[in-house]
Amino acid sequence: LLALHDFAKGIPKGVKTSTRLFLDWSSPFTSLASGLYNLVRIKPTEAITMELSAGHDGLNELTSIKLDAGEGMVVEARNVVGVVISDGQSVTLAKHWAIRKLQSWLKWQFRYITIAGPITLILKGGRGLVVSPIHGELTIAPDYVVAYSSNLGYATSRTETFGGYFSRKKHL
């Protein structure tokens, strides 16, 4: 387990711990810019139960997503709390630039980070955080997206009514 220090609630006695400077040594600047540095590495010699807390913010919840080999997630890096990796495996962060896409200019997000498996991602989000399978098209406000499968199409669309935007209930 590699986790941010604020989220490691209790570490069982007898478990070997150390500090890992970057989540991905092949992408140190990406790890640093996304806040995935100075991680606690918890390496048990046998199966253990480990509790992670939602941090100092009581409005956060945690969830985990298991990724098999060849699967990846596009993540909002600030929502990654930790990763569980098997011995001998490594974490791979890949950067994808999207300067020529309209949605990048509308969101002011020009770089997307993909984390590839085989790992288990531990993500934080606001109350009501759920992992939902997507069947067909789905319209959702970007504030509610923590991560999405790297094989999904992602695009910007306008809301159905101007009234929700005008009353500050919906994004345009």
Side-chain angles (χ1 to χ4, degrees):
L1 170 68
L2 294 169
L4 298 174
H5 285 276
D6 291 348
F7 295 87
K9 184 175 182 180
I11 299 171
K13 192 170 185 145
V15 173
K16 184 179 177 184
T17 62
S18 59
T19 299
R20 182 162 170 171
L21 190 56
F22 299 118
L23 179 63
D24 183 6
W25 284 98
S26 64
S27 301
F29 294 114
T30 302
S31 295
L32 190 64
S34 60
L36 299 172
Y37 62 93
N38 190 24
L39 305 165
V40 61
R41 179 186 326 186
I42 300 163
K43 192 172 184 179
T45 55
E46 58 188 40
I48 63 166
T49 300
M50 177 76 194
E51 288 187 43
L52 297 177
S53 72
H56 301 295
D57 185 358
L59 299 177
N60 283 333
E61 290 182 2
L62 300 179
T63 192
S64 64
I65 301 173
K66 185 175 179 359
L67 299 175
D68 294 324
E71 294 179 342
M73 294 288 292
V74 178
V75 297
E76 296 276 346
R78 67 178 174 265
N79 294 318
V80 177
V81 170
V83 294
V84 178
I85 56 175
S86 299
D87 202 19
Q89 298 288 334
S90 63
V91 178
T92 304
L93 295 177
K95 311 179 280 281
H96 303 283
W97 291 91
I99 295 177
R100 293 186 217 154
K101 293 190 175 203
L102 175 63
Q103 75 222 27
S104 299
W105 289 94
L106 293 173
K107 283 185 66 178
W108 285 96
Q109 182 179 1
F110 301 102
R111 185 177 65 174
Y112 295 86
I113 297 173
T114 304
I115 298 180
I119 61 172
T120 299
L121 276 174
I122 303 167
L123 302 170
K124 74 171 179 168
R127 292 272 183 211
L129 177 66
V130 295
V131 177
S132 300
I134 305 298
H135 303 288
E137 291 186 10
L138 175 69
T139 302
I140 188 167
D143 295 347
Y144 298 116
V145 176
V146 174
Y148 57 91
S149 179
S150 60
N151 64 356
L152 286 178
Y154 185 72
T156 303
S157 64
R158 66 173 185 83
T159 58
E160 290 298 318
T161 62
F162 185 72
Y165 172 73
F166 188 69
S167 63
R168 298 181 186 209
K169 302 288 185 201
K170 293 276 187 185
H171 293 279
L172 189 59

